[in-house]
């Protein structure tokens, strides 16, 4: 860890990596909280994986993979959202199909990409150390877009994630805001692909928010804690992976997974202890009354 | 008096078998209408048609002289089953505040995209609505920590906070005990002085103490009257061997 911090002072690529992790955490905390409370992790997974189609196409036609990722993510979000709104009965089958089709398209494009063979592994599992400095501006712009829209429409978003039927009765255009929410999830997925790659995105999107959800009773606080937690987990994962030269993405995910499991066990035990205390207090009151 | 809800020849089906057929029903301003009938008789479906959440395959529904789907903001709705997970990280106050969405907003689809800010008046309205249903002390509680009766009061406050002209309740007392059932209906009786109320129930005997009129629904409108519901109608509605308990009016 000490090595990491002294290296951080010297090397700009490490500073860029830390900045990447922090910028990605903002999206992960805010949109991850919506994904967790609305229980649409499966939809988010479908969006994340079908992004490979766009990245593959970008590589094939000689563009930056990230430039293919954003339109592909948005297209996947709209398609999956439309499936969910229109064909509720076969939702899971259709989303699984889109999930796999997107990846298949991506693999074919990459296999046939002319010249330099792109490194498939770094798309799938991310490589935070290779993020170019220019990408930081792109990420910051996406974060700003995300925060602006969420700030403007947080009442509508809360209404549709909490109770769609009631939101519709209050005149909220549920379909529009549902699709907008999924598009913002898609933007977040693109942010997170830089850090952990598209296979592991789902974990970083949901785990910090799920841990936060164990302790708070409001969506706003959940977002705040999930953002801070996401940043802590990614930077710590980066630091731990640096010394032994491990890939950072999987280390970050293992940390997040560990934090989630520990937190889940702790809240279970706390809940049981609270119930036991309440029960003994009840019994004691019963005795004194008798 | 002209009717504020006007249902004419409405039929509705979810799939192959009709859920409602040829319903004609008018509701006048200030009524307290009880809608009774057996399970799966189409009571909740009728409410959803009035709310504009479903569209009838035939017939027309006009609410305040508009198509039902454009009048929902004038209606307050208390669903039978809350359609949200109980562990959602949200307080009672925030839930009730959602009933203020769309207030002060113009008509039409473009207005609905206006972000709209909550105002200071929202906070006051939320406090008043919670006080009215005698749930003022619950404001800061997490929604999952409420008992069935408390949750019902909160959902009622969420419907009231939008200043509805008609209150629509689907089995408001299905999940709570009998003493609380009376309290909720006493509350509704008071609210009826300033708004029209439609309430679905399976308990004819109980609600006839409170309502001004009963409509019995079992796919069709079986009865539709102000008189006390007698044994014959109950038999029409539910079939044989229903135990009637006589009660004075």
């Amino acid at each position: 860890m000490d090595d990491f911090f002294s290296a951080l002072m010297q090397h700009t690529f490490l500073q860029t990596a830390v900045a990447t992790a922090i910028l990605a955490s903002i999206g992960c905390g805010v949109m991850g909280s919506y994904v967790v409370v609305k229980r649409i992790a499966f939809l988010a997974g479908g969006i994340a994986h079908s992004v490979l189609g766009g990245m593959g196409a970008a590589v094939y036609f000689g563009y930056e993979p990230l430039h293919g990722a954003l339109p592909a993510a948005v297209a996947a979000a709209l398609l999956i959202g439309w499936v969910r709104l229109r064909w509720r009965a076969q939702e899971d089958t259709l989303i699984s199909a889109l999930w796999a089709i997107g990846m298949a398209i991506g693999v074919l494009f990459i296999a046939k990409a002319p010249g330099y063979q792109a490194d498939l592994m770094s798309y799938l599992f991310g490589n935070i150390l290779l993020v170019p400095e220019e990408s930081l501006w792109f990420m910051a712009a996406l974060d700003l877009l995300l925060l602006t829209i969420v700030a403007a429409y947080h009442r509508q978003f809360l209404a549709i994630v909490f109770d769609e039927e009631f939101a519709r009765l209050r005149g909220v255009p549920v379909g529009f805001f549902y699709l907008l929410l999924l598009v913002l999830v898609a933007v977040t997925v693109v942010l997170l692909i830089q850090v952990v790659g598209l296979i592991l995105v789902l974990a970083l999107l949901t785990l910090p928010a799920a841990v936060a959800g164990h302790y708070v009773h409001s969506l706003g606080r959940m977002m705040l804690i999930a953002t801070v937690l996401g940043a802590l987990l990614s930077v710590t994962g980066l630091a731990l992976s640096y010394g032994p030269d491990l890939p950072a993405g999987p280390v970050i995910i293992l940390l997040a997974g560990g934090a989630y499991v520990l937190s889940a066990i702790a809240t279970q035990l706390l809940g049981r202890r609270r119930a036991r205390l309440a029960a003994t207090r009840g019994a004691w009151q019963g005795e004194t009354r008798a | 008096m002209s009717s504020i809800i006007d249902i004419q020849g409405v039929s509705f089906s979810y799939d192959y078998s009709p859920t409602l057929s040829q319903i004609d029903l008018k509701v006048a301003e200030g009524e307290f209408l009880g809608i009774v009938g057996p399970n799966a008789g189409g009571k909740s479906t009728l409410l959803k048609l009035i709310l504009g959440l479903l569209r009838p395959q035939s017939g027309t529904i006009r609410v305040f002289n508009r198509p039902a789907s454009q009048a929902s903001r004038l209606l307050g709705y208390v669903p039978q089953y809350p359609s949200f997970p109980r562990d959602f990280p949200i307080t009672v106050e925030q839930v009730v505040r959602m009933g203020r969405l769309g207030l002060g907003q113009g008509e039409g689809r473009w207005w609905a995209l206006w972000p709209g800010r909550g105002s200071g008046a929202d906070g006051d309205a939320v406090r008043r609505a919670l006080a009215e249903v005698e749930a003022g002390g619950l404001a800061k509680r997490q929604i999952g920590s409420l008992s069935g009766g408390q949750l019902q009061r909160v959902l009622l406050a969420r419907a009231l906070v939008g200043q509805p002209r008609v209150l629509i309740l689907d089995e408001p007392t299905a999940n709570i005990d009998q003493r609380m059932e009376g309290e909720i209906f006493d509350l509704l009786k008071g609210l009826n002085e300033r708004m029209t109320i439609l309430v679905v129930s399976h308990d004819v005997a109980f609600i006839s103490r409170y309502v001004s009129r009963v409509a019995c629904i079992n796919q069709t409108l079986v009865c539709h009257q102000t008189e006390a519901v007698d044994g014959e109608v109950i038999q029409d509605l539910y079939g044989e061997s229903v135990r009637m308990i006589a009660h004075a009016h």
Side-chain angles (χ1 to χ4, degrees), chain A residues 63-155:
Chain A
Y63 296 100
E64 275 289 301
L66 199 59
H67 294 164
L70 189 60
V74 171
L78 291 175
L79 200 59
I80 285 174
W82 178 63
V83 161
R84 152 65 172 47
L85 292 170
R86 183 72 186 74
W87 281 292
R88 197 132 199 198
Q90 303 119 36
E91 186 187 343
D92 56 344
T93 314
L94 284 168
I95 290 169
S96 318
L98 287 171
W99 178 316
I101 290 169
M103 292 201 79
I105 292 173
V107 171
L108 287 180
F109 267 127
I110 290 167
K112 285 291 162 193
Y116 168 68
Q117 277 291 314
D119 181 11
L120 190 61
M121 283 293 275
S122 80
Y123 303 150
L124 297 183
F125 298 101
N127 198 339
I128 194 171
L129 295 178
L130 291 183
V131 175
E133 227 177 306
E134 309 87 73
S135 282
L136 290 181
W137 290 107
F138 178 64
M139 294 179 74
L142 290 184
D143 270 330
L144 192 66
L145 176 79
L146 204 82
L147 290 176
T148 312
I149 296 179
V150 169
Y153 291 117
H154 66 101
R155 295 167 79 219

Side-chain angles (χ1 to χ4, degrees), chain B residues 14-29:
Chain B
Y14 288 102
D15 41 44
Y16 305 110
S17 58
T19 307
L20 292 171
S21 45
Q22 291 297 321
I23 304 281
D24 292 301
L25 182 67
K26 286 187 199 310
V27 182
E29 183 121 50

Side-chain angles (χ1 to χ4, degrees), chain A residues 41 104 153 192 199-200 218:
Chain A
Y153 291 117
L192 293 179
I199 303 263
L200 303 179
S218 95

Side-chain angles (χ1 to χ4, degrees), chain B residues 3-19:
Chain B
S3 50
I4 53 173
I5 296 173
D6 191 349
I7 300 172
Q8 282 180 9
V10 160
S11 300
F12 180 84
S13 165
Y14 288 102
D15 41 44
Y16 305 110
S17 58
T19 307

Side-chain angles (χ1 to χ4, degrees), chain B residues 3 19 34 76 86 105 144 165 187 190 192 226:
Chain B
S3 50
T19 307
R86 291 294 292 271
Q105 230 170 31
R165 291 181 58 189
L187 199 63
N192 186 222
T226 33

